[in-house]
Amino acid sequence: MIFLEASVFVTILVGFLATIVKKNLLMKIVTMDVMSTGVVALFVVIATHSGLVTPIARGGAFDVAYADPVPQAVILTAIVIGLSIQTLMLVAAMKLARDNPTLETPEIDQKYL
Amino acid sequence: MTELAIAWILLPFVAGLTLYLLPPLARGLTLAIAVVSLCAGLGITINQVNTAFVLLDSFGISLSIDPLSGYFIVTNALVILAALFHTWQAGYKAFFYVLLCLLHGCANTVFISADFLSLYVNIEVLGIVVFLLIAYPRSDRPLWIGLRYLMVSNVAMLFYLMGVALVYQASHTFAFSALRQAPPEAVALILMALLAKGAIFISGLWLPQTNVVAAPVVAALLAGIVENAGVFSLARVSLLYSDIADIVGLFALASIFFGPLFALVADDVRRLLSFSTLGQLGWVIIAPPAAGLYALMHGLAKASLFLSVGELRHYRLSELRQEGLPRPVAIALTIAGYGIVGVPFLAGFPAKALTLSYLDPWQQGLLYGAGFLTATIYSKFLFLPRYPSKTLMPVGYSAATMVLLGGLVLANAGYMEAYSSGMSVLRAVLPPLVGCGLVALGVSRWESAWRGAWERLEHLLGVMLLLLLGLVGLAL
């Protein structure tokens, strides 16, 4: 379990550092998605602290260790928001690519800042 | 009461979605929701309403309405009203008004939410709407600046979400009050994200260029609503915890000096205004109990400044010094500028008096010193040559300025006690006089076209990491 949690934090950190290090705009957008996947995974890991059984009512046994449904339910919102932001950014990158075919962020920054 | 509040929250969203189907209603519906919110905000502020509702079970999803939110809601309504009047005849498509409605709704919800989760959702949606507003002209430059904003804001909010996960892990609720049980890393993550969204100190460096590239009316919305939404949550959290208030106060103080110093040497009027915004946002959060009145004053004055600057043909101070300004614009710039400086009879004076009354003597001294800096910046407008404008100002611009400057005068009622001592009135007049003197002596010639490398995307993101490390240190 501790190993799982550690790898989640590593994913977030790697994703974040890559948004800084990668120069290509598309790569930046993808690495941001890696970071957001890490955050989603963090919520899922936190949900399993109370147990691993899917919290769906079924006949019979109630004394099993259910996973906490709240973080999972909540993270759905963040997934949807993340998806829409990704899409918007990709569309914007597509439009920018017409005049900046390389999509290198330092060049674009120099041009438009 | 709960049903009424929920209906009022939903109203702008329903209006926004209706506009997709019925575009001819665009301006009328936007006007209606702004007026409804103005009435609601005034009602909350004047009657000192103070209620809280829990919406869902024990997970802390709750709303809390108090006079602090009232002030922010009034600001939101007035700025939307001004933006609406300004664009009334400008031929914006219905889509623009859809965005205005959604912006209004999200900001209102931010101002009354009392848990980390609804705050997250609303701030994220606000970010998307702001991106669409900035990129509305759809040319490359606004698109890139919008993209940069969206990226910075989304990365900040991912860190925020991490903090929220840690808060939930510690206490199984999302309420603001659960931050006490949370580990210091969670506090650092959440504070870092809010500082970046609220444009405080170096994490706010995305702001200047965004304001320069955005259309004047969008810059006014940014200054009047969007940054207020970021700052509001900082004020809310600092009101709950005195140790967090100390950390936030430190950043606020840094921002108060950092912003104006760069505004002093900016060569572009819009950059001057946005760097001054960095400083003013620091003023808003340094004394959380006074945040409402200060944010109201700053939102109105800064929105009116950006709209006025939008009427100019040149933005460089050196060109303005040769060409001059049309007289009505110059008058609006002077009134709004001195409103921020804190001249009596404009809301800046009571707002500053109220803010100072909550602070320690050493902070009062520092802030009074910073007041001279602000006064010097805005005195520059007084020394620009003016010419009588041959054509009339657009009606939309005049109406918007009336709304904003009228609000600036009426907001004096927020803290009438400020006028009771003659000494403080006298002290408030000193900074503008010294500012004028300094500008007359030639301070305004120190300006450069320098654009710091720190405003590039990589640096904006990198600063977050540094800030995070610093905050973890402070929180521990």
Side-chain angles (χ1 to χ4, degrees):
Chain A
M1 206 58 184
I2 193 85
F3 175 72
L4 205 61
E5 210 153 318
S7 34
V8 165
F9 282 113
V10 169
T11 312
I12 296 174
L13 198 66
V14 167
F16 174 64
L17 290 179
T19 54
I20 301 175
V21 175
K22 285 287 172 189
K23 296 280 178 247
N24 190 294
L25 184 56
L26 279 182
M27 289 301 255
K28 268 195 201 301
I29 297 174
V30 171
T31 48
M32 209 182 69
D33 196 37
V34 171
M35 194 184 164
S36 118
T37 309
V39 175
V40 171
L42 179 66
F43 271 78
V44 175
V45 167
I46 283 176
T48 60
H49 281 330
S50 58
L52 286 171
V53 181
T54 324
I56 295 174
R58 53 198 116 185
F62 283 99
D63 52 347
V64 268
Y66 285 117
D68 188 350
V70 179
Q72 299 183 21
V74 154
I75 204 63
L76 274 182
T77 326
I79 293 174
V80 173
I81 291 175
L83 169 81
S84 34
I85 290 183
Q86 288 285 321
T87 328
L88 262 181
M89 291 181 97
L90 287 173
V91 170
M94 213 168 78
K95 290 226 159 206
L96 280 173
R98 212 167 289 164
D99 289 334
N100 308 277
T102 55
L103 281 179
E104 299 283 309
T105 43
E107 278 173 33
I108 305 178
D109 253 338
Q110 212 138 44
K111 197 164 155 192
Y112 295 128
L113 217 58
Chain B
M1 187 72 187
T2 316
E3 286 82 11
L4 209 64
I6 291 175
W8 168 68
I9 294 173
L10 284 181
L11 194 67
F13 296 109
V14 174
L17 297 177
T18 314
L19 289 187
Y20 267 115
L21 303 174
L22 299 167
L25 294 180
R27 288 172 294 193
L29 261 183
T30 316
L31 181 67
I33 60 156
V35 171
V36 168
S37 285
L38 184 61
C39 296
L42 284 175
I44 294 166
T45 321
I46 293 168
N47 299 327
Q48 301 276 316
V49 175
N50 206 339
T51 51
F53 327 103
V54 175
L55 291 182
L56 195 72
D57 215 9
S58 62
F59 310 121
I61 306 294
S62 54
L63 302 177
S64 119
I65 301 178
D66 56 9
L68 179 67
S69 21
Y71 278 113
F72 280 86
I73 292 165
V74 172
T75 319
N76 186 2
L78 284 175
V79 173
I80 286 277
L81 218 54
L84 179 66
F85 289 152
H86 192 257
T87 56
W88 196 277
Q89 291 175 324
Y92 279 88
K93 293 208 177 76
F95 179 59
F96 183 79
Y97 296 98
V98 172
L99 293 179
L100 276 191
C101 286
L102 295 182
L103 180 75
H104 184 76
C106 294
N108 272 345
T109 320
V110 167
F111 298 147
I112 62 168
S113 55
D115 65 284
F116 290 116
L117 205 66
S118 26
L119 195 66
Y120 166 77
V121 173
N122 285 294
I123 289 189
E124 278 288 43
V125 178
L126 204 67
I128 296 176
V129 173
V130 170
F131 165 74
L132 291 174
L133 276 172
I134 296 172
Y136 182 79
R138 273 182 251 161
S139 49
D140 278 355
R141 197 163 179 229
L143 212 54
W144 169 246
I145 294 295
L147 194 63
R148 194 180 69 138
Y149 170 78
L150 196 60
M151 189 133 203
V152 170
S153 119
N154 193 41
V155 169
M157 290 322 278
L158 283 174
F159 280 121
Y160 175 90
L161 209 52
M162 255 173 94
V164 174
L166 296 178
V167 168
Y168 183 83
Q169 191 179 21
S171 53
H172 288 272
T173 154
F174 294 108
F176 279 161
S177 50
L179 204 55
R180 185 169 302 286
Q181 291 91 12
E185 307 88 88
V187 178
L189 284 163
I190 288 175
L191 274 188
M192 189 280 286
L194 293 180
L195 286 171
K197 283 297 282 194
I200 301 295
F201 198 39
I202 43 174
S203 55
L205 278 169
W206 55 266
L207 180 74
Q209 211 54 25
T210 309
N211 273 340
V212 169
V213 175
V217 65
V218 177
L221 289 170
L222 271 170
I225 301 175
V226 180
E227 281 127 34
N228 270 354
V231 185
F232 173 80
S233 12
L234 280 174
R236 249 291 149 74
V237 176
S238 350
L239 274 177
L240 281 176
Y241 303 101
S242 59
D243 39 352
I244 292 183
D246 291 342
I247 299 178
V248 171
L250 215 61
F251 278 92
L253 208 57
S255 201
I256 284 169
F257 284 93
F258 176 81
L261 279 175
F262 281 92
L264 206 59
V265 294
D267 66 326
D268 185 310
V269 202
R270 296 167 299 178
R271 275 178 78 83
L272 178 149
L273 291 180
S274 14
F275 271 119
S276 148
T277 304
L278 276 186
Q280 295 300 313
L281 290 170
W283 274 85
V284 175
I285 50 169
I286 196 153
L293 187 58
Y294 205 99
L296 173 64
M297 179 285 285
H298 174 249
L300 296 182
K302 200 43 79 58
S304 134
L305 284 168
F306 273 116
L307 287 182
S308 302
V309 164
E311 297 298 315
L312 301 176
R313 270 174 300 164
H314 303 286
Y315 299 112
R316 282 188 188 279
L317 280 164
S318 50
E319 284 168 354
L320 284 175
R321 223 168 273 132
Q322 286 175 351
E323 297 258 331
L325 322 163
R327 186 159 291 148
V329 173
I331 293 172
L333 279 178
T334 312
I335 296 178
Y338 278 123
I340 292 182
V341 171
V343 171
F345 305 113
L346 290 166
F349 173 64
K352 289 208 168 175
L354 188 63
T355 305
L356 289 177
S357 71
Y358 285 106
L359 296 176
D360 299 336
W362 66 273
Q363 286 172 317
Q364 286 178 359
L366 275 179
L367 288 202
Y368 192 65
F372 286 95
L373 219 54
T374 316
T376 313
I377 296 163
Y378 288 105
S379 297
K380 284 186 180 188
F381 293 134
L382 212 60
F383 285 82
L384 293 175
R386 299 136 193 243
Y387 59 85
S389 64
K390 291 174 201 79
T391 51
L392 276 175
M393 282 284 125
V395 185
Y397 165 72
S398 315
T401 310
M402 293 288 183
V403 169
L404 293 172
L405 295 184
L408 200 59
V409 175
L410 291 179
N412 265 318
Y415 185 63
M416 271 303 184
E417 291 85 344
Y419 292 97
S420 55
S421 92
M423 193 57 204
S424 69
V425 176
L426 218 66
R427 262 198 306 176
V429 182
L430 191 60
L433 288 180
V434 173
C436 285
L438 284 177
V439 176
L441 286 175
V443 170
S444 62
R445 306 236 166 77
W446 307 339
E447 57 199 35
S448 73
W450 179 65
R451 304 277 183 271
W454 54 17
E455 288 181 41
R456 294 207 190 131
L457 182 57
E458 281 90 15
H459 300 255
L460 292 176
L461 293 172
V463 156
M464 282 190 203
L465 192 63
L466 296 181
L467 204 63
L468 195 60
L469 294 177
L471 275 169
V472 170
L474 282 175
L476 283 175

